[in-house]
Amino acid sequence: MSAAGQETVLSGAHAKTILNREGCGAALILLLILNILFFPCIWGHKSLLDSAQLCPSVLPTGSWSGKRVLMGWAKTLDGAAAAWFFEPSIAVTGDEYLKDGTIPLWNPYQAYGAPFAANMQSQPFYPLTILLSLHLTPFTYSLFLLIRLYIAGVFAYFYLRLFVSFIAAMAGAIASMLGGYFILYMTMPHVSVDVLIPAALFACESLLRKRSYGSFLAFTAVLFLVIVGGMPESSLMLLVFVYIYIALRIVCDGELRSLWIPLATRIALASIAGLCLSSVLLLPFLEFMRHSYNTHDPKIIGGAIPGLYHFTPDSTIFTFLFPLIYGQWHGLANQFGVIAFFLTLIAVLTVFARSKDRSGRQLPFLTIFFFGYAAVLLLKHYGIQPINDLGKLPLLRYVDFYKYSESVLSICVASLCAIGLERLMAGAASKAIVGTALGAAFATVPLAYFICEKTMIELIKTNRSAIQFANLAFAVAVCSLFCLAICLIVFDQPRRVLGVAIAVILTFEFSANYLLPIYYIYNSLPGQAQNPYQGAPYLNFLKHQDSHFERIFGRDRVLYPDWASVFELQDIRDLDAMYYYKYLPFLRNFIVPGSPAKTQELWDRFTGDDGEYAFQTPLEKRLLQLSSVKFLLSKKPYSEVSFKPVYTNEAAIYRYDDVLPRAAIYYRAEIEPNEGEVLKKLADPNLDIFRTVVLDRTKVKPFQLTSIVEVNQGAARGVEAANITSYRPQAVEIHANLNQSGILVLNDSDYPGWTVDIDGSRGKWVTVNYLFRGVFLAPGKHVVRFVYRPRTFYLGVSVAGVALVLLSVPGLLSARRRLRPRQSPVAA
């Protein structure tokens, strides 16, 4: 057998030499592929921003600037999530790091203020996100997305190269980098975690093979990146996969099994170190979970368990091989193609075939592991029992498996592709096995057409698909299979050429079955000039008008949530995975939500996108008044006479003057027994919200009762405005001048972690009007400063600091030993 076709198991110094020498070539090849496939985004002034034209952002059609290009089909399966959350959140991260010189812990611009880092999806501690946020443009955003794909490919190569030859490892790396899941969800924030799966596998192997300090640090670093990558579901799926892999590797390898105690100790210590380093994000997240409302909690969604959600077993399974067979949306969640299917069959059918060279001894284990794990995920995907009941397990019950486990499935299939190609190149697959696998791959084409024809016709008739999609799906598959068959016949020897040819065909199919048609044939990418971060003229108008930090509200998809944050405008709307638990009940107290069958509005979001939001009733207006919403944005006109039009160009802006000041001084207070009664009182038309503030008895400390009595003993007066002299994301300074005792109310959320300094001394604030922060003040002039000092973050910093010091000790001692001069022997 030639060296080119041999299975290669690398270890020790040989592994380092090979990986260094060949790794550069592999990295260049992967970089070249990305440059070819995404040439317009890297070199041609195009962009991958979903908020540019795919989804509403600054305007209902996306960006204001640049030439408008209509899209035929959505590029990604959940582009809205990126456009409405991740893309604006990156701008917030950059602003807080650069403009404010603070760590992005709080977002004051959405939902009366909310935790920022603690929501995890913002990932402000993820190195790539930090770099992007420091210079955010449509071009750098596209680079960010492509670098994530590149990370998956490069580390998949390094991992697979430990077991297979260069060409096979490259095929697996390409299948990982262009894996259907990563392309279908390219712009989603959770891909920052998913692309680390190959890096985690490589770190695992390094830790198992080498008892070195470097391998220990590598595993710790990957675990840290997984957590700060910001998606709990993706992180959980990755960690479950990795620790199962480690356990089975130790059990199934005799050499590792004999060392299981020291290995388990090292893995446990590295895991603890990684968790400690990530506690700067993990602890605030756990605190936010305790104080949050989210639709992953079965108690909130009527007892339903997200971990049991699944697809219906039907013909959509063929979308894994022919992704555009039904168009784009119907049943599509991932895709591999028929060449990957063929290589997977080769890997599985030859699992017990042994080559003469002993270097292939680990491939059967890898084949069984990756195929078995992929099979379990597929069964879970379609809800097959008893596999589906895995979703009832602790923690797993909160995960949408049909979405967040697909990244692991992609990596499993990519690894099987590498193993299958290695078996072909090594001659371990007999002609019978190759013929069987090729015949099965060819048979999927007529089988898919026969089973899926009726559904395809129905989707085409209802304009939910186009006949070109189905034609292309079959054409790419048939073309790839015929090229594969020719290569198997022509390139029997040398097998290196066969391997290269199959890797090229694999790359072609991964590119042509979805990416090329969706991005370049049926759609046109937006230009970099279509830049939503540049804003629009109406936003400049608003920033000049907003002198007292009044809030805004938009309907008709104008300035979609969370885009107000990009321009430092304060919006009462919000769109996130988690909310402070008081936020939505406060809104529902004044606005009747739409039909649950038609909308998610006010159930898991507040976008202003559903209903008229005319604000004609006194109760609806009360929400605007309590929230200090002075400006209303719309495409269609408001009929309410108290809303005065002040801007009528690309968006209409109305001003509402009858609102409370952001910082208001009250001279009357009422106490209700609990939060529910406070909400009822706020909705009571007999309550004059411009004269009286409402407090929750359960939130008032005994010593504060005296202050309430003092306030109510003074003369009854209407509310007065205090002067906000500085409003930054995590610090607000207010100057107040009182003639009698009163309560200063800043209508920002009362989330834990906020502190107050009164005239330079630490004070106590109290929850008022259900959601806001209030401070009791004596007569006279005062400087009140609210500062966000979350204990969980600072505790996390302490824990991470200790872990970092402990991790550095072995390295320092080793460096000291290397630097210590050697003593020459003393002559006798």
Side-chain angles (χ1 to χ4, degrees):
M1 186 186 306
S2 65
Q6 289 181 355
E7 300 169 337
T8 308
V9 181
L10 303 179
S11 61
H14 182 57
K16 185 175 181 180
T17 302
I18 293 293
L19 292 177
N20 287 341
R21 185 173 67 246
E22 296 178 342
C24 293
L28 289 174
I29 293 172
L30 294 174
L31 189 62
L32 177 63
I33 291 173
L34 284 178
N35 270 268
I36 293 172
L37 294 179
F38 295 95
F39 186 90
C41 301
I42 301 174
W43 307 103
H45 307 292
K46 296 294 183 179
S47 169
L48 294 170
L49 273 171
D50 286 329
S51 54
Q53 66 179 19
L54 174 65
C55 299
S57 55
V58 173
L59 291 172
T61 52
S63 65
W64 174 78
S65 57
K67 182 180 178 182
R68 188 67 50 199
V69 178
L70 296 179
M71 288 194 57
W73 304 87
K75 301 191 301 293
T76 55
L77 291 186
D78 198 359
W84 298 341
F85 179 83
F86 189 51
E87 291 173 12
S89 77
I90 300 169
V92 176
T93 300
D95 284 346
E96 297 205 20
Y97 275 127
L98 292 176
K99 290 184 181 179
D100 300 303
T102 60
I103 298 172
L105 302 177
W106 185 261
N107 183 355
Y109 308 112
Q110 306 294 151
Y112 307 99
F116 187 68
N119 67 33
M120 293 199 80
Q121 291 187 95
S122 303
Q123 51 188 249
F125 305 144
Y126 190 68
L128 281 181
T129 307
I130 294 174
L131 290 175
L132 173 62
S133 71
L134 299 180
H135 185 61
L136 178 58
T137 67
F139 172 69
T140 58
Y141 179 76
S142 298
L143 285 185
F144 167 81
L145 300 181
L146 299 180
I147 288 172
R148 296 197 302 184
L149 298 181
Y150 188 62
I151 288 172
V154 167
F155 279 101
Y157 164 80
F158 282 126
Y159 167 71
L160 292 169
R161 186 66 183 91
L162 297 173
F163 302 98
V164 299
S165 60
F166 175 80
I167 296 172
M170 281 302 306
I174 293 167
S176 297
M177 183 176 74
L178 302 181
Y181 183 82
F182 295 142
I183 300 300
L184 292 172
Y185 290 100
M186 186 188 301
T187 57
M188 285 290 285
H190 67 259
V191 173
S192 294
V193 174
D194 296 329
V195 296
L196 295 174
I197 298 173
L201 289 172
F202 182 62
C204 289
E205 278 298 320
S206 298
L207 195 62
L208 292 173
R209 292 168 179 237
K210 296 182 291 185
R211 319 295 187 259
S212 69
Y213 177 62
S215 63
F216 183 92
L217 288 182
F219 187 86
T220 300
V222 169
L223 186 56
F224 167 77
L225 291 173
V226 166
I227 301 298
V228 300
M231 289 299 297
E233 294 100 327
S234 295
S235 299
L236 182 60
M237 291 292 94
L238 185 153
L239 294 176
V240 169
F241 175 64
V242 163
Y243 285 114
I244 290 177
Y245 174 85
I246 291 173
L248 293 180
R249 275 284 283 124
I250 293 174
V251 169
C252 297
D253 188 297
E255 183 179 348
L256 296 178
R257 192 165 58 247
S258 64
L259 300 170
W260 76 270
I261 293 179
L263 285 176
T265 302
R266 284 171 54 81
I267 292 164
L269 291 175
S271 300
I272 293 171
L275 291 175
C276 288
L277 290 178
S278 60
S279 59
V280 292
L281 183 62
L282 198 56
L283 293 183
F285 167 71
L286 294 175
E287 179 187 47
F288 195 14
M289 283 290 293
R290 290 194 301 111
H291 296 285
S292 75
Y293 169 95
N294 67 86
T295 54
H296 287 260
D297 189 343
K299 292 180 293 185
I300 293 174
I301 52 180
I305 299 176
L308 297 180
Y309 296 167
H310 59 83
F311 282 90
T312 302
D314 57 16
S315 60
T316 58
I317 194 171
F318 286 104
T319 61
F320 285 101
L321 305 182
F322 313 95
L324 294 179
I325 193 171
Y326 290 138
Q328 189 195 33
W329 293 100
H330 189 78
L332 186 60
N334 202 343
Q335 57 96 355
F336 315 117
V338 291
I339 302 302
F341 177 63
F342 165 79
L343 292 174
T344 298
L345 287 178
I346 293 292
V348 173
L349 293 175
T350 58
V351 67
F352 297 112
R354 304 278 183 168
S355 64
K356 295 180 181 179
D357 189 84
R358 62 185 294 273
S359 62
R361 66 188 184 279
Q362 293 176 353
L363 290 188
F365 162 78
L366 295 177
T367 304
I368 294 171
F369 172 77
F370 287 123
F371 181 74
Y373 210 98
V376 168
L377 291 179
L378 276 175
L379 294 173
K380 183 73 181 70
H381 181 93
Y382 286 108
I384 307 301
Q385 295 293 5
I387 300 299
N388 196 50
D389 282 341
L390 292 173
K392 294 180 180 180
L393 295 175
L395 295 182
L396 297 182
R397 61 191 283 117
Y398 298 105
V399 178
D400 292 332
F401 275 82
Y402 65 89
K403 180 177 182 180
Y404 293 106
S405 67
E406 292 293 320
S407 57
V408 177
L409 180 59
S410 280
I411 299 302
C412 287
V413 172
S415 301
L416 289 170
C417 285
I419 295 171
L421 185 56
E422 181 70 13
R423 289 301 199 183
L424 276 175
M425 295 173 62
S430 65
K431 291 183 178 180
I433 289 177
V434 174
T436 301
L438 186 63
F442 266 107
T444 60
V445 178
L447 184 64
Y449 184 83
F450 175 76
I451 294 176
C452 303
E453 181 184 14
K454 183 178 179 181
T455 304
M456 286 190 295
I457 293 173
E458 290 177 355
L459 291 172
I460 292 170
K461 285 182 178 179
T462 57
N463 296 320
R464 294 182 61 193
S465 181
I467 193 170
Q468 295 95 325
F469 282 126
N471 291 340
L472 182 69
F474 288 119
V476 170
V478 171
C479 178
S480 300
L481 286 172
F482 270 108
C483 290
L484 173 66
I486 291 171
C487 290
L488 290 171
I489 295 172
V490 174
F491 300 129
D492 184 56
Q493 293 291 338
R495 295 188 182 276
R496 174 187 290 271
V497 178
L498 174 64
V500 171
I502 293 177
V504 170
I505 298 170
L506 183 73
T507 306
F508 164 77
E509 187 182 23
F510 266 108
S511 305
N513 63 3
Y514 185 87
L515 196 154
L516 293 179
I518 291 298
Y519 279 73
Y520 303 109
I521 298 176
Y522 301 118
N523 284 316
S524 179
L525 291 170
Q528 292 177 14
Q530 285 180 254
N531 184 0
Y533 298 113
Q534 291 181 347
Y538 79 88
L539 292 168
N540 296 327
F541 173 85
L542 273 177
K543 295 191 77 170
H544 284 96
Q545 294 290 313
D546 186 17
S547 59
H548 299 289
F549 307 99
E550 293 93 354
R551 289 194 173 93
I552 65 172
F553 170 84
R555 68 177 185 181
D556 303 333
R557 298 195 164 195
V558 177
L559 196 61
Y560 211 81
D562 307 315
W563 277 89
S565 301
V566 177
F567 308 101
E568 298 182 351
L569 295 170
Q570 303 197 25
D571 192 351
I572 64 172
R573 298 170 300 162
D574 196 21
L575 185 55
D576 203 342
M578 296 194 302
Y579 302 92
Y580 182 34
Y581 77 92
K582 290 185 175 184
Y583 172 63
L584 291 174
F586 182 77
L587 298 172
R588 297 188 196 114
N589 195 49
F590 306 100
I591 298 176
V592 178
S595 168
K598 297 181 180 179
T599 181
Q600 291 180 294
E601 190 82 343
L602 295 177
W603 178 62
D604 71 341
R605 65 196 63 192
F606 181 42
T607 64
D609 194 23
D610 176 68
E612 291 295 318
Y613 287 105
F615 295 108
Q616 292 180 327
T617 68
L619 185 61
E620 291 174 329
K621 288 181 181 177
R622 180 159 288 194
L623 174 65
L624 303 180
Q625 293 167 337
L626 286 167
S627 308
S628 303
V629 175
K630 189 172 183 178
F631 298 100
L632 297 101
L633 316 179
S634 180
K635 290 297 288 185
K636 58 180 180 288
Y638 272 104
S639 59
E640 174 58 43
V641 294
S642 58
F643 301 159
K644 302 174 183 178
V646 293
Y647 189 91
T648 56
N649 289 338
E650 71 278 10
I653 301 178
Y654 292 79
R655 191 180 72 232
Y656 183 39
D657 294 320
D658 190 24
V659 300
L660 286 164
R662 283 295 307 278
I665 302 173
Y666 282 90
Y667 298 101
R668 279 292 177 271
E670 292 189 14
I671 302 180
E672 295 296 332
N674 52 54
E675 289 181 344
E677 293 302 318
V678 171
L679 280 178
K680 289 181 182 179
K681 189 66 177 181
L682 290 175
D684 186 349
N686 295 318
L687 174 70
D688 185 352
I689 61 172
F690 289 90
R691 298 180 68 88
T692 305
V693 68
V694 185
L695 289 82
D696 175 5
R697 179 65 182 83
T698 63
K699 301 295 177 63
V700 177
K701 300 292 189 292
F703 70 90
Q704 293 172 328
L705 291 174
T706 303
S707 299
I708 296 174
V709 172
E710 291 177 0
V711 169
N712 288 333
Q713 285 177 346
R717 305 169 62 174
V719 70
E720 297 176 356
N723 183 25
I724 300 177
T725 58
S726 174
Y727 196 107
R728 304 314 306 157
Q730 297 170 55
V732 182
E733 185 173 297
I734 305 169
H735 289 202
N737 188 3
L738 292 77
N739 294 323
Q740 63 186 59
S741 296
I743 303 176
L744 171 66
V745 176
L746 177 66
N747 57 9
D748 285 359
S749 64
D750 64 335
Y751 186 81
W754 280 95
T755 62
V756 64
D757 298 326
I758 305 171
D759 301 325
S761 300
R762 184 62 54 88
K764 294 285 186 180
W765 56 264
V766 63
T767 296
V768 298
N769 284 349
Y770 179 75
L771 185 59
F772 306 134
R773 302 194 296 269
V775 178
F776 294 102
L777 295 178
K781 294 182 179 180
H782 300 281
V783 177
V784 178
R785 182 175 172 82
F786 288 98
V787 182
Y788 188 53
R789 300 183 178 105
R791 293 181 180 178
T792 50
F793 172 73
Y794 292 108
L795 176 60
V797 170
S798 301
V799 173
V802 171
L804 199 58
V805 169
L806 293 177
L807 283 173
S808 64
V809 169
L812 293 174
L813 293 177
S814 176
R816 182 180 178 184
R817 285 194 297 268
R818 288 196 301 270
L819 293 175
R820 183 180 300 167
R822 295 182 180 180
Q823 296 181 355
S824 58
V826 179

